Amino acid sequence: MKRKLFITGVAGAIILGGAIGVGAVSSEPAISFEKAKEAAVNQVNGTIESIELEEDDGLLKYDIEVNGSDRGDDKEVEVDATSGKVMNVEDDRDDDDRDDRVNKQVNISHEKAINIALKSVPGKVTEAELDDDGYYEIEVQHNNQEVELKVDADSGKILGKEID
């Protein structure tokens, strides 16, 4: 009887330990793209250029590029995808590219472009970036596949869809 109890207790401890371990390495963010963008803009005044969900040394985080209101005042903001706290802010100046780029106003926001993409391909957005050519590149995880959509930044029309 004691042996059965001991074996049951050990098995339970192994199962519980495995469940805790799986929860600790979850690849699902606790906060949404919108909450991460809000945290970045609250930290650095400007407009979101791109946002990407990535795992770095076991830590799930959002890398967010923010175009500052002043020319050359671009920042990269890292937001913890579990807590929503800003982890790091650094200058994001790529002088060769940024000096030639013209800050162009677009009709479609990041949020609207993401919603358009998700209506076309339901899933989890892993990256959304405004390209210099006037469209958003949005990557969506759908049925264990990565789908890249191009959404026109002025009209909202889907210009292309590529499945990896």
Side-chain angles (χ1 to χ4, degrees), residues 1 34 60 66 87 94 124 133 145 150-151 163-164:
M1 180 70 169
E34 287 71 31
L60 205 56
V66 181
M87 300 168 15
D94 185 356
K124 181 177 90 173
D133 293 329
Q145 293 181 323
K150 292 181 180 178
V151 178
I163 300 173
D164 288 337

Side-chain angles (χ1 to χ4, degrees), residues 2-163:
K2 286 184 182 181
R3 185 173 184 195
K4 264 189 186 178
L5 256 171
F6 177 74
I7 291 172
T8 303
V10 169
I14 291 171
I15 292 170
L16 179 62
I20 291 171
V22 168
V25 187
S26 174
S27 62
E28 289 295 318
I31 65 164
S32 66
F33 262 66
E34 287 71 31
K35 292 286 186 188
K37 288 190 289 189
E38 186 179 304
V41 171
N42 285 338
Q43 185 74 30
V44 177
N45 190 22
T47 57
I48 303 293
E49 180 180 313
S50 70
I51 181 169
E52 183 175 355
L53 177 65
E54 65 179 35
E55 189 172 338
D56 187 16
D57 292 332
L59 176 67
L60 205 56
K61 67 179 183 173
Y62 289 101
D63 280 335
I64 304 169
E65 292 183 23
V66 181
N67 285 341
S69 51
D70 296 329
R71 185 180 172 111
D73 191 26
D74 299 338
K75 304 285 185 197
E76 182 174 322
V77 181
E78 292 180 352
V79 177
D80 185 316
T82 304
S83 68
K85 291 185 179 180
V86 173
M87 300 168 15
N88 190 28
V89 177
E90 62 184 47
D91 283 337
D92 187 32
R93 295 182 192 159
D94 185 356
D95 295 333
D96 294 338
D97 293 338
R98 302 222 187 251
D99 286 343
D100 295 336
R101 181 170 40 189
V102 176
N103 283 337
K104 176 182 161 186
Q105 294 293 329
V106 295
N107 294 326
I108 304 295
S109 68
H110 262 86
E111 291 80 15
K112 189 165 185 176
I114 289 170
N115 288 336
I116 291 168
L118 288 174
K119 284 182 184 174
S120 176
V121 178
K124 181 177 90 173
V125 175
T126 57
E127 186 172 348
E129 178 176 6
L130 177 60
D131 190 271
D132 291 339
D133 293 329
Y135 59 85
Y136 289 96
E137 287 184 6
I138 301 173
E139 292 180 8
V140 178
Q141 289 291 328
H142 174 73
N143 292 337
N144 295 324
Q145 293 181 323
E146 183 175 276
V147 180
E148 183 179 300
L149 295 107
K150 292 181 180 178
V151 178
D152 186 276
D154 289 320
S155 68
K157 180 179 178 184
I158 293 179
L159 302 174
K161 191 184 300 186
E162 184 178 309
I163 300 173

